[in-house]
Amino acid sequence: MQRREIFAGNWKMFTTRAEALALARGLLEGLGELKGREVAVFPPSVHARELADICRGKIDVGVQNMYFEKEGAFTGEVSPVMVKDLGARYILIGHSERRHVFGETDEMVNRKVKAACEYGIEPMVCVGELLAEREAGDSEKVVGGQLRKAFDGITADQMKKAVVAYEPVWAIGTGKVATPEIADAMHRYIRKELAGLYGAGIAAMVPVLYGGSVKADNIAGLFASPDIDGALVGGASLKANSFLDIIHV
Ligand code: PGA
């Protein structure tokens, strides 16, 4: 079975409304032949509704973060109901900046994954080790633990809609991309862990994206790995041309 290939742009806390619209239009104009690949963008949530309208049917829109409750007195948060309602397909969960800047725990990640599944939003779950953890030889232990906790209580059927993004924290925004060998080894490990949790059939279906300093000049080496099913791109997704060059690898 052919796994889905996804190229996703995480715009983080960048773009005014005008910049977001211009970036989306630039992407739509340059999409061209996608060879079955899927393209998604994660704009700041205040722009997501408008982008979902103009991107419909061509580029999937996701939201970068949400809370796990349906509604309530949670000032500043957005709920899964709102994310679904605006027409988003994906919710990014557990990005390293959420974990390390905002103190998101594995338990919160798990509650968000459960909320996404409950409300019909496809979770794109980020995992990845810190540099110190890699240097201590703990990368697999850390990533395996993040995976098991994130998907605790998630059924095999729900897992069919999930996407995993391996983003080594030391590679995010640093220009230090993981070598294809490092990324390939971790992606194979992630697939093995998923097979242990859900069986080989489900593990073979779940796209596992690489993220961390992906650029047009390093994507080909990474994407050559059969277990790397696309990329989650930060900085290089903020210019239409550089993201398009990655998508068209
Ligand atoms: P980067 O970010 O491509 O700028 O390293 C990746 C990410 O944070 O998703």
Side-chain angles (χ1 to χ4, degrees):
M1 186 217 333
Q2 180 70 27
R3 242 192 319 276
R4 291 156 59 213
E5 296 175 343
I6 305 170
F7 288 82
N10 171 13
W11 297 359
K12 308 194 180 188
M13 200 174 74
F14 293 101
T15 68
T16 62
R17 172 173 173 270
E19 287 164 349
L21 291 173
L23 181 49
R25 289 198 180 104
L27 291 175
L28 288 165
E29 274 165 28
L31 272 188
E33 178 55 54
L34 285 175
K35 296 180 253 177
R37 291 174 191 165
E38 297 176 18
V39 179
V41 293
F42 290 84
S45 58
V46 289
H47 308 320
R49 169 61 211 258
E50 210 170 352
L51 290 203
D53 284 346
I54 67 168
C55 291
R56 184 154 297 136
K58 299 189 184 74
I59 297 176
D60 292 312
V61 170
V63 170
Q64 297 173 17
N65 179 44
M66 67 177 189
Y67 198 51
F68 45 76
E69 296 287 357
K70 179 180 166 215
E71 60 183 13
F74 302 105
T75 300
E77 296 292 320
V78 297
S79 84
V81 175
M82 299 166 194
V83 171
K84 183 72 186 169
D85 189 44
L86 71 81
R89 176 173 182 180
Y90 295 110
I91 181 74
L92 201 59
I93 300 177
H95 188 277
S96 84
E97 286 145 23
R98 298 298 320 167
R99 293 178 191 263
H100 299 295
V101 182
F102 298 101
E104 237 173 63
T105 62
D106 285 322
E107 198 218 329
M108 290 165 80
V109 167
N110 178 244
R111 293 183 75 171
K112 291 180 180 196
V113 174
K114 284 180 173 153
C117 293
E118 185 180 339
Y119 290 97
I121 311 157
E122 299 178 35
M124 189 177 285
V125 178
C126 303
V127 294
E129 79 286 359
L130 298 165
L131 182 59
E133 293 165 337
R134 173 154 290 272
E135 287 174 347
D138 288 338
S139 303
E140 291 190 350
K141 196 174 96 191
V142 169
V143 169
Q146 289 172 340
L147 270 182
R148 283 188 293 275
K149 289 179 202 145
F151 294 115
D152 184 38
I154 297 301
T155 67
D157 235 25
Q158 290 172 328
M159 200 61 201
K160 291 180 187 162
K161 294 273 186 195
V163 178
V164 173
Y166 169 55
E167 298 206 304
V169 180
W170 46 271
I172 297 177
T174 58
K176 289 191 198 126
V177 65
T179 62
E181 293 71 29
I182 288 179
D184 177 67
M186 186 59 87
H187 280 238
R188 278 188 285 119
Y189 170 76
I190 289 170
R191 186 107 37 223
K192 194 180 82 188
E193 283 297 302
L194 292 175
L197 293 171
Y198 292 100
I202 301 281
M205 282 181 70
V206 176
V208 183
L209 315 185
Y210 170 81
S213 295
V214 171
K215 305 273 181 294
D217 62 7
N218 59 33
I219 183 64
L222 294 158
F223 196 52
S225 158
D227 280 301
I228 298 182
D229 306 309
L232 178 56
V233 185
S237 74
L238 288 169
K239 293 237 158 38
N241 283 344
S242 64
F243 190 39
L244 288 166
D245 285 345
I246 293 169
I247 293 165
H248 294 136
V249 59

